[in-house]
Amino acid sequence: MNVLVFKNIFRQPGINPVLYLKQLILICLLLQGCSSGKSEDKESQEATEVNISKSVFGALPDGRSADLYTLKNANGMVVKISNYGGTITYWSAPDKEGKYADITLGCDSLQGYLKGVPYFGALIGRYGNRIANGKFTLEGKAYLLAKNNGVNALHGGIKGFDKVLWEATPVDGEEPQLMLKYISADGEEGYPGTLTTEVTYTLLKDNSLKIEYSAATDKATVVNLTNHAYFNLSGDMSREILDHEVSIKADKFLPVNETLIPTGELKSVSGTVFDFNKSTKIGTGINNLKDQQIVYGKGYDHCWVFSDTSKTLKSVAKVYEPASGRLMEVLTTEPAIQFYSGNFLDGTIKGKGGIVYKHRSGLCLETQHYPDSPNQSGFPSTVLKPGERYNTVTVYKFSAN
Ligand code: BGC
């Protein structure tokens, strides 16, 4: 109300200025009340904001439907996960300008995954990595596993946890969660015991994705669960990952034979191209064919053993991509990590957006126990018995500089 109108009102015969002022104050108070009502509305709107949503991903050959869950946080990080294989299909992270882009390899549709891909973004079980000759003995009994990697068993067998449909429970909140459960029957892929596995993905406020693994069995068995996301922090999957800088807090790694089974030795990284204690470009040593281990792995495809052997959640590795400034930190309760530099990617897979995934266009950092532990008495045990609980946690945290 402008001053002139105000003065004119006072001049009107029959208007009591005191009463008028009182009424004006009352109106102001009421208006204030309305505006605080507005912020309450906003708060309740925020509280009901949905940070996890579900859509249909596609149909499996047996007719069952697979879903895709989209998790997002307030910063703008988005992670999409299917209950088919517990697969992370999309994962956006900010660059140094705050621009979010997808940093994982994968397929645009369920059909892409069904055609067969090398574990893009999937959950791996029952046993991540290789078991020599697809067999082991436990409590005096020999078990024969499905061999799916030459003479060896790899990543749980022909139909591992990456190819099954998990039961999904979304939990909304500021830090949305996707809880996944799968009951693997006694004898599945040759492994003993009914194994009930639960994996919870939580997208945190600080741009971390936390993955909690838990399992219980009704017969003695072996378990080694992990996730197989391929990262290319440039956000451009047509590029190689050779310029990424990696650090791994490990004084030792596990040398392998020609079929990538550990020899049993824990070898010092010192003076070798396996020393990532200082941040080093992947390209620096990956083609050093004078190193027999590089020849066997066709690059990096080895397990590093952390110097810190505590079972607490600790920072164990970092990857930095200089052009985008994206930095990924890996924290885990596990004793080791498989660093695989995408050596078997060969340009035959067309991924998201029709991009051809060339040799070494993605890298994996799979937190885990050592490969072939069921056959190597010198390695930390991967045996799980009835009444015990398998519990591990891994966090992938993103920032930029
Ligand atoms: C293994 C590689 C294997 C790849 C399959 C990695 O975990 O270490 O040897 O080729 O998985 O995609």
Side-chain angles (χ1 to χ4, degrees):
M1 183 183 296
N2 72 39
V3 182
L4 201 66
V5 175
F6 198 70
K7 275 184 188 163
N8 287 341
I9 288 173
F10 279 115
R11 278 191 205 122
Q12 300 268 325
I15 291 228
N16 176 340
V18 179
L19 200 69
Y20 185 80
L21 266 175
K22 271 188 184 170
Q23 277 175 349
L24 207 62
I25 290 167
L26 193 70
I27 290 168
C28 284
L29 283 174
L30 279 173
L31 281 175
Q32 215 186 355
C34 285
S35 76
S36 79
K38 252 189 208 159
S39 81
E40 265 166 33
D41 275 0
K42 204 175 155 214
E43 271 166 31
S44 69
Q45 215 179 352
E46 275 166 13
T48 55
E49 193 173 320
V50 176
N51 291 322
I52 183 161
S53 55
K54 173 179 158 181
S55 58
V56 172
F57 196 35
L60 296 174
D62 63 10
R64 288 180 301 164
S65 170
D67 295 318
L68 189 65
Y69 292 84
T70 303
L71 287 70
K72 57 176 191 189
N73 70 10
N75 308 326
M77 181 173 267
V78 174
V79 182
K80 296 186 185 183
I81 306 166
S82 174
N83 61 336
Y84 175 72
T87 304
I88 300 172
T89 66
Y90 177 96
W91 193 343
S92 70
D95 67 7
K96 57 189 168 199
E97 259 97 52
K99 218 177 84 210
Y100 280 74
D102 187 8
I103 44 81
T104 49
L105 273 59
C107 307
D108 283 323
S109 68
L110 177 66
Q111 295 317 309
Y113 292 93
L114 293 177
K115 268 195 233 158
V117 289
Y119 307 95
F120 290 157
L123 290 178
I124 304 295
R126 295 184 185 194
Y127 200 96
N129 221 316
R130 292 176 174 81
I131 296 183
N133 302 310
K135 60 181 182 195
F136 66 95
T137 301
L138 183 60
E139 297 186 337
K141 202 166 169 232
Y143 293 97
L144 284 182
L145 305 172
K147 291 181 191 171
N148 60 331
N149 188 247
V151 293
N152 301 322
L154 174 69
H155 295 334
I158 295 163
K159 191 176 178 191
F161 287 3
D162 58 299
K163 294 181 189 70
V164 301
L165 197 63
W166 295 66
E167 186 190 313
T169 311
V171 183
D172 201 6
E174 229 183 330
E175 299 193 322
Q177 292 189 310
L178 183 66
M179 291 163 70
L180 298 170
K181 183 175 176 177
Y182 176 67
I183 301 175
S184 171
D186 186 8
E188 201 171 285
E189 299 296 306
Y191 290 93
T194 312
L195 190 76
T196 304
T197 304
E198 284 164 324
V199 178
T200 301
Y201 286 104
T202 309
L203 178 57
L204 304 179
K205 285 187 279 190
D206 69 354
N207 281 356
S208 297
L209 185 71
K210 179 163 82 177
I211 314 176
E212 291 164 288
Y213 303 86
S214 154
T217 183
D218 61 359
K219 256 188 216 168
T221 191
V222 292
V223 189
N224 193 23
L225 306 172
T226 192
N227 176 279
H228 209 291
Y230 286 68
F231 299 99
N232 186 325
L233 300 189
S234 72
D236 177 358
M237 308 303 153
S238 65
R239 280 174 51 182
E240 294 177 321
I241 43 78
L242 299 185
D243 55 351
H244 287 45
E245 295 164 15
V246 169
S247 65
I248 306 175
K249 291 182 187 167
D251 293 334
K252 298 200 169 72
F253 79 106
L254 303 178
V256 289
N257 68 17
E258 63 282 7
T259 72
L260 300 184
I261 295 293
T263 59
E265 182 195 358
L266 271 74
K267 191 174 174 197
S268 168
V269 295
S270 174
T272 75
V273 293
F274 290 83
D275 191 351
F276 284 97
N277 282 295
K278 267 199 265 141
S279 187
T280 306
K281 271 197 196 309
I282 297 174
T284 310
I286 198 170
N287 290 321
N288 184 344
L289 299 177
K290 280 192 217 123
D291 191 314
Q292 185 62 46
Q293 285 303 312
I294 289 288
V295 176
Y296 283 159
K298 300 187 168 47
Y300 293 112
D301 195 355
H302 296 79
C303 188
W304 273 253
V305 175
F306 304 133
S307 309
D308 179 349
T309 54
S310 67
K311 288 182 183 152
T312 53
L313 189 67
K314 57 204 171 285
S315 175
V316 291
K318 283 183 185 158
V319 185
Y320 179 68
E321 199 278 308
S324 66
R326 288 194 182 89
L327 175 71
M328 179 177 82
E329 183 178 4
V330 185
L331 300 97
T332 190
T333 59
E334 289 276 27
I337 200 162
Q338 182 83 4
F339 166 33
Y340 167 58
S341 51
N343 313 312
F344 294 107
L345 295 173
D346 58 3
T348 53
I349 298 175
K350 233 189 225 168
K352 286 181 271 188
I355 291 174
V356 171
Y357 292 151
K358 290 190 301 215
H359 190 218
R360 298 175 176 161
S361 55
L363 69 96
C364 302
L365 283 169
E366 309 153 46
T367 55
Q368 57 193 238
H369 267 60
Y370 309 179
D372 198 34
S373 299
N375 292 309
Q376 310 237 10
S377 54
F379 289 177
S381 171
T382 51
V383 173
L384 184 72
K385 293 187 177 158
E388 295 175 346
R389 186 156 274 281
Y390 172 101
N391 273 322
T392 68
V393 183
T394 292
V395 174
Y396 294 94
K397 182 176 179 183
F398 289 87
S399 57
N401 60 64

